[in-house]
Amino acid sequence: MASQQRPRRPVSGAPGARSARPVGAVTRGTTNPNRLRRMDRWIAAAHGGALRRTARATGRAVAVDLGYGAAPWTAVELLERLRTACPRAEVAGVEIDPERVAAARPYAREGLTFVRGGFEVPLPGGARPALIRAANVLRQYAEEEVPAAWARLTDRLGPEGLLVEGTCDEAGRRHVWVALGPEGPRTVTFAAHLATLDAPSDLAERLPKALIHRNVAGEPVRAFLRDFDRAWATAAPYAPLGARQRWIRTASALSADWPLADGPGRWRQGELTVAWPAVAPRGWVS
């Protein structure tokens, strides 16, 4: 929910606190069909089992598309993609701008609703979501506001719930996101359209707000991207076999020194996931 001209309501304060007004600020609203496909694909694979368990236990698994923007495409697509992993998945698109909510409501259907709200994530009956996806929401907030925003959002999660927060480019070809449970951040995933990738460090400009200003000497994420580029360069002989084979070889080499949380099955998708503690900002306190 990136700031424009209007004042921004702070996201600090007690994580469990409720507010009569939505918490946050209106984003620019930029969105495109298929922009979040890489994130959605990863969520369905990594979190599908938890969604199914939630659906078996409660009869439904509610996911939130927080700050979906000026058009509802990402919420519509999230429902379609989650239902490949969990047929009883439901999606609530949550937006702070009432005009955007009104414009999206004609697209509502079984399993898909649109409500006004912000970081407090209001759902009917106080339901706790099994998933909150917040893509390109914190991009223009201050770095020091991120922990409070994460705390608010993870506080809303149900059992086995997951928050996925990150940033991508307009076409969805470069994407980096953090996955968080109720206890805090767990992993960071780097995802790319490999055919257009010159080097893994091209993804640096899409680091989430918690990391983007830490891509400097002495910070773990800078060291990770440096080693990522070195492994990519070493894997250059595999380039004639295709960018995918080069990426897989790169990830395999990188795993010798960094705690990767995935394997070849995900690497083939142009993804690579590393444990959060390995790249967390220096001095980070969960």
Side-chain angles (χ1 to χ4, degrees):
M1 298 171 186
S3 177
Q4 289 185 322
Q5 300 301 315
R6 63 190 79 181
R8 183 168 64 214
R9 298 194 65 209
V11 295
S12 58
R18 297 292 178 261
S19 173
R21 292 187 297 151
V23 178
V26 179
T27 64
R28 290 179 302 166
T30 305
T31 188
N32 288 305
N34 271 327
R35 187 181 185 187
L36 302 182
R37 61 193 180 279
R38 300 181 194 283
M39 182 185 273
D40 291 351
R41 182 175 60 198
W42 182 88
I43 290 170
H47 197 50
L51 292 173
R52 291 190 294 273
R53 288 189 293 273
T54 297
R56 286 195 294 269
T58 67
R60 61 199 295 232
V62 180
V64 168
D65 184 12
L66 181 65
Y68 57 82
W73 317 134
T74 60
V76 172
E77 292 167 351
L78 181 61
L79 178 65
E80 294 171 351
R81 289 162 183 157
L82 289 185
R83 283 195 166 175
T84 65
C86 177
R88 284 186 284 180
E90 301 176 15
V91 169
V94 176
E95 248 295 340
I96 201 167
D97 185 337
E99 294 181 1
R100 293 177 184 174
V101 176
R105 280 184 172 149
Y107 295 87
R109 61 175 187 265
E110 183 274 324
L112 179 62
T113 59
F114 297 93
V115 299
R116 187 184 180 212
F119 290 107
E120 77 285 2
V121 191
L123 294 179
R128 292 188 173 273
L131 168 74
I132 299 174
R133 185 189 65 184
N136 305 301
V137 169
L138 295 180
R139 181 71 168 175
Q140 295 181 41
Y141 276 80
E143 180 183 346
E144 59 267 24
E145 294 182 274
V146 171
W150 281 358
R152 271 190 177 273
L153 294 174
T154 56
D155 181 63
R156 292 291 293 121
L157 294 172
E160 289 197 83
L162 191 72
L163 165 64
V164 181
E165 186 270 310
T167 304
C168 68
D169 63 4
E170 299 293 338
R173 291 186 169 188
R174 307 276 189 274
H175 210 153
V176 187
W177 60 82
V178 181
L180 306 93
E183 78 287 357
R186 296 173 177 172
T187 60
V188 183
T189 298
F190 297 78
H193 178 252
L194 298 180
T196 59
L197 187 72
D198 291 327
S201 59
D202 290 350
L203 291 162
E205 65 182 16
R206 298 302 163 184
L207 287 168
K209 177 56 72 171
L211 293 172
I212 194 165
H213 299 302
R214 301 304 183 111
N215 185 25
V216 295
E219 286 285 348
V221 72
R222 178 63 169 266
F224 178 76
L225 290 170
R226 176 202 64 207
D227 289 356
F228 206 166
D229 274 356
R230 288 176 177 172
W232 179 257
T234 301
Y238 289 83
L241 300 177
R244 178 179 296 177
Q245 291 304 313
R246 186 178 182 181
W247 180 270
I248 291 170
R249 184 69 179 183
T250 298
S252 180
L254 199 60
S255 68
D257 299 307
W258 292 88
L260 301 191
D262 54 6
R266 300 314 306 170
W267 299 342
R268 290 180 179 278
Q269 303 299 321
E271 300 168 5
L272 185 146
T273 299
V274 63
W276 167 261
V279 296
R282 290 198 180 279
W284 176 269
V285 178
S286 299

